[in-house]
Amino acid sequence: MTWATLQIELSAKQKNRQFSILSKSKPLSVQENMQELRSSAHSRRSEPQFDMGDVIYFCRKGVESIIDDEVTKSFSAQELESWNLLTRSIRRFPHRGLRLTLLWGLGVLIRYGILLPLRVILAVTGIFLFVILSTSVGFLPNSKLRFFLGEKVHLMGYRFCVKSLTAFITYHNSENRPKNGSICVANHTTPLDVIILANDRCYSLVGQVHRGLLGLIQRAMVKSSPHIWFERAEVKDRHLVAKRLCDHAADKTKQPILIFPEGTCVNNTSVMMFKKGSFEIGCTIFPVAIKYDFRFGDAYWNSSKFGLVHHLLRIMSSWALVCSVWYLPPMNREEGEDAVQFAKRVKAALAAQAGLADLTWDGGLKRTKVKDAFKEEQQRLYSEILLTFFLSVSLQLHYIGNQVNPLPVFT
Amino acid sequence: LSFLECSWRFCGRFKALWMKAALPDFKIRELTENPIGGRIIAAFFPPEKERLDFPSFVRILAHFRPIGKNRSRDRAQPEQANSRTGKLKFAFELYDQDRDGKISREELLQVLRAMLGLQVTEEQLRSIAERAIQEADLDGDGAISFDEFKKSLEKVDMEHKMNIRFLK
């Protein structure tokens, strides 16, 4: 698997950004585009006004969006350049000869007949052991031994899970591993991100209280190590959330809190807007970048298409889960920087390290509409072009008027 | 890279497009912030049709092809979609929604209102529209025909402004 890790490092260094089919020239502002349109049409225009050709700029931008846009691309599975023998990665089965079909058939047999059952057995054993051990550690009195054993049990649980997914993880820059009493932020592709990161050191997780199997695991986790689980009603109350996070982070002996500021899963070709909540708290932030090699299996959880169990089965029936984790050096909020700017700075560093596109769109767009404010911004920019011309024309007329009537003082 | 060679990429995008016609809110986020987004979508659908099939989709996008270098071949078919006339016709139809062959004052006002929104007053809007019609309308009938439209845009470099290139 050293070959696989070498491949990841190579591709992360190359341009591994969003695959765009349009060749876009340097992005110009609305003003610059309009100037170009107009200057080619009217070179010596003293009376600028609305030009019938102005609509062409918006028209072309619109059609370019239809062909290829950033947001839709981030919420659908990545495109592969060459097939990896998984029918889920392509639209139609490529009928390119008997040999390919046979290879694919063999792949299906191996994946569903050998790999999947083994992985499921491992996963079930791991969760079972974890729940039992964690609960028993919880019975010990509150002491250093309990803390130590708690960590060990957690790590064991995560290692079992990682083995069950056959995840090959490479951790880079381990000297920047998050320290106690801080916050760790990472980009979010799948709920399994937690397992990938927690394989290396223990984190305190933040999340909603669930019912069923997940709820059972959550309760078992809390017994041996401090996590922050919210009731559904509490999530709405931002101050309460912020207070609990603050209290936890202030205690320097507690494990770092793991937060995903995007708020939703994105398909690992880009990083969406970071929500400012976790950056307002004011303690050290350790950014961590995760990049999956999607040739071995797509790790993105498209929650509108399939549920969690289906997603887990998909991952377990892929070839493997190969990823790279980069620990970035810690960042603090600087003087005169507000939470939003700080969040942008962290996001830019994270995107640059992992080779992802840095987008300013909100991850919430997966489910909601775009606000009208964006359209109004475009309208405002365009109106400025027209209105500044109006202003300059009226000023010119005023000036000419003054010149025509000589001042009586001089006669 | 010919249009048809890229066709397999369009399959997914195009599905999103023809289903969206029935929905008032757009699924393509960047199109929502475009002031004339609704008109662009309407331009893809021929009048009275609710669904778009793939050949029609490609035919509309053909307007945005760069004009070919082989001029002699193009001259044989002057009414090609990506010729200068074809591109001008597409832009003309963005204004002329009722397809009567003329851009009336009302239609021009509608486009201006879409592009400027609430940023200008009604007065300013009307005066802008008035001046545009005065300048372009040569035969004095108060509306802009396709030939007058062509004349007013004769110096605009359509070949470069209205084309979309694909990566090889």
Side-chain angles (χ1 to χ4, degrees):
Chain A
M1 280 298 138
T2 29
W3 170 82
T5 48
L6 274 171
Q7 288 289 309
I8 299 172
E9 278 168 75
L10 266 175
S11 60
K13 286 196 184 98
Q14 288 163 13
K15 185 172 71 95
N16 204 0
R17 296 178 186 270
Q18 284 187 328
F19 182 60
S20 170
I21 52 176
L22 294 176
S23 112
K24 294 198 173 138
S25 52
K26 183 169 67 80
L28 303 169
S29 67
V30 180
Q31 273 97 340
E32 284 160 356
N33 266 300
M34 288 296 182
Q35 302 288 6
E36 267 190 37
L37 254 180
R38 282 157 184 262
S39 60
S40 65
H42 314 279
S43 41
R44 292 166 299 110
R45 195 88 182 251
S46 56
E47 249 184 30
Q49 64 192 46
F50 164 70
D51 204 30
M52 301 291 279
D54 286 347
V55 78
I56 293 173
Y57 165 70
F58 288 116
C59 173
R60 195 192 63 181
K61 256 187 62 164
V63 177
E64 268 180 2
S65 309
I66 289 179
I67 295 177
D68 202 26
D69 80 304
E70 292 175 325
V71 177
T72 317
K73 261 203 305 230
S74 302
F75 288 137
S76 47
Q78 269 177 326
E79 282 179 27
L80 280 170
E81 285 173 17
S82 61
W83 193 33
N84 64 350
L85 293 180
L86 291 172
T87 38
R88 63 185 69 144
S89 313
I90 47 171
R91 289 185 223 280
R92 279 177 331 186
F93 190 88
H95 292 281
R96 267 195 226 127
L98 186 61
R99 208 163 57 161
L100 192 63
T101 318
L102 276 180
L103 263 180
W104 170 76
L106 189 64
V108 167
L109 271 176
I110 296 178
R111 283 186 294 117
Y112 283 91
I114 303 177
L115 293 178
L116 182 61
L118 278 178
R119 285 172 181 166
V120 169
I121 293 173
L122 264 178
V124 165
T125 321
I127 296 179
F128 188 65
L129 269 178
F130 173 72
V131 167
I132 294 192
L133 284 175
S134 185
T135 320
S136 19
V137 166
F139 287 129
L140 287 175
N142 213 346
S143 66
K144 271 195 119 166
L145 181 67
R146 175 184 168 179
F147 190 68
F148 176 71
L149 277 181
E151 270 207 24
K152 286 285 169 252
V153 166
H154 265 83
L155 275 175
M156 177 217 76
Y158 287 124
R159 297 223 163 105
F160 247 102
C161 286
V162 160
K163 293 290 181 293
S164 77
L165 295 169
T166 49
F168 298 95
I169 314 172
T170 320
Y171 296 99
H172 300 264
N173 308 331
S174 294
E175 68 272 9
N176 290 327
R177 202 181 295 167
K179 309 219 178 348
N180 283 351
S182 63
I183 295 185
C184 173
V185 303
N187 56 321
H188 201 29
T189 307
T190 164
L192 301 169
D193 285 338
V194 169
I195 300 181
I196 306 276
L197 288 180
N199 190 36
D200 203 28
R201 76 148 294 163
C202 271
Y203 294 94
S204 287
L205 304 176
V206 181
Q208 269 185 10
V209 172
H210 285 94
R211 286 183 291 269
L213 179 64
L214 206 49
L216 178 69
I217 298 177
Q218 281 180 330
R219 282 193 294 276
M221 283 169 95
V222 163
K223 291 210 165 66
S224 58
S225 158
H227 295 283
I228 306 176
W229 303 124
F230 291 103
E231 297 292 334
R232 226 158 256 266
E234 283 175 9
V235 173
K236 293 269 166 39
D237 189 351
R238 285 187 55 196
H239 291 293
L240 192 64
V241 170
K243 181 150 191 338
R244 278 184 76 176
L245 286 175
C246 258
D247 290 340
H248 186 108
D251 186 350
K252 294 294 174 212
T253 61
K254 288 213 175 131
Q255 294 148 344
I257 309 177
L258 181 57
I259 294 184
F260 297 106
E262 282 166 316
T264 185
C265 291
V266 183
N267 80 342
N268 211 232
T269 56
S270 59
V271 182
M272 295 230 158
M273 187 180 90
F274 276 3
K275 301 211 177 355
K276 65 179 187 328
S278 32
F279 297 91
E280 282 170 340
I281 294 176
C283 46
T284 320
I285 303 268
F286 282 89
V288 179
I290 310 176
K291 181 89 178 89
Y292 292 90
D293 187 349
F294 58 99
R295 287 174 300 180
F296 290 93
D298 187 23
Y300 167 55
W301 181 33
N302 195 343
S303 49
S304 40
K305 259 189 164 176
F306 27 82
L308 186 58
V309 178
H310 189 175
H311 173 67
L312 283 176
L313 283 176
R314 272 170 63 102
I315 302 247
M316 287 196 185
S317 58
S318 315
W319 294 114
L321 195 69
V322 185
C323 61
S324 266
V325 175
W326 283 276
Y327 291 114
L328 278 80
M331 292 181 159
N332 276 302
R333 199 159 83 174
E334 281 167 12
E335 288 289 323
E337 201 182 33
D338 70 350
V340 175
Q341 288 164 336
F342 181 38
K344 279 208 179 114
R345 194 162 60 94
V346 172
K347 184 161 75 89
L350 209 148
Q353 175 67 75
L356 304 170
D358 189 0
L359 300 182
T360 49
W361 293 96
D362 185 353
L365 286 178
K366 207 179 191 180
R367 297 187 181 88
T368 60
K369 272 167 59 171
V370 177
K371 291 201 264 263
D372 278 331
F374 288 100
K375 184 153 92 171
E376 280 160 26
E377 179 63 22
Q378 292 284 306
Q379 288 169 337
R380 191 185 63 81
L381 286 170
Y382 179 55
S383 65
E384 268 176 20
I385 300 170
L386 292 188
L387 292 181
T388 43
F389 286 145
F390 266 143
L391 208 58
S392 71
V393 163
S394 57
L395 274 174
Q396 277 180 16
L397 288 174
H398 187 73
Y399 179 64
I400 292 170
N402 274 342
Q403 291 240 296
V404 164
N405 303 326
L407 295 170
V409 171
F410 294 121
T411 53
Chain B
L1 196 64
S2 90
F3 241 72
L4 293 175
E5 280 165 18
C6 298
S7 61
W8 72 266
R9 287 189 222 281
F10 286 132
C11 287
R13 307 287 306 170
F14 146 75
K15 252 188 14 183
L17 184 63
W18 72 248
M19 286 198 287
K20 137 174 20 116
L23 301 170
D25 50 341
F26 304 146
K27 288 247 172 337
I28 295 182
R29 275 36 178 220
E30 282 174 22
L31 203 54
T32 321
E33 75 169 18
N34 195 314
I36 52 168
R39 283 174 181 260
I40 296 174
I41 295 186
F44 277 82
F45 288 80
E48 325 270 304
K49 277 188 93 170
E50 282 295 311
R51 298 179 149 227
L52 180 68
D53 59 359
F54 188 60
S56 315
F57 183 68
V58 176
R59 241 172 267 133
I60 303 283
L61 285 181
H63 288 289
F64 290 85
R65 265 186 79 188
I67 289 179
K69 291 191 189 93
N70 197 346
R71 291 271 172 190
S72 60
R73 212 160 31 126
D74 282 351
R75 228 178 277 140
Q77 294 160 314
E79 291 314 316
Q80 260 199 332
N82 67 331
S83 65
R84 192 188 163 79
T85 316
K87 291 181 198 271
L88 283 167
K89 196 94 181 80
F90 188 79
F92 186 77
E93 273 164 12
L94 281 176
Y95 287 98
D96 185 22
Q97 292 278 289
D98 56 7
R99 307 264 199 260
D100 62 355
K102 284 185 178 303
I103 302 178
S104 68
R105 188 172 286 117
E106 258 316 303
E107 284 170 336
L108 187 59
L109 271 176
Q110 273 172 14
V111 176
L112 278 170
R113 203 169 282 129
M115 292 212 280
L116 294 166
L118 299 165
Q119 308 292 328
V120 298
T121 66
E122 194 63 32
E123 266 299 306
Q124 285 168 323
L125 210 66
R126 286 196 178 276
S127 71
I128 296 173
E130 219 26 73
R131 289 172 76 176
I133 290 190
Q134 265 170 22
E135 174 151 309
D137 190 14
L138 301 167
D139 60 6
D141 60 352
I144 304 174
S145 70
F146 181 54
D147 289 319
E148 289 163 355
F149 184 72
K150 251 187 8 186
K151 188 106 185 29
S152 74
L153 288 181
E154 65 188 347
K155 293 211 191 73
V156 171
D157 185 10
M158 297 288 276
E159 284 82 357
H160 288 114
K161 292 303 156 201
M162 198 157 148
N163 68 28
I164 295 175
R165 290 180 184 282
F166 289 90
L167 278 174
K168 289 214 194 303

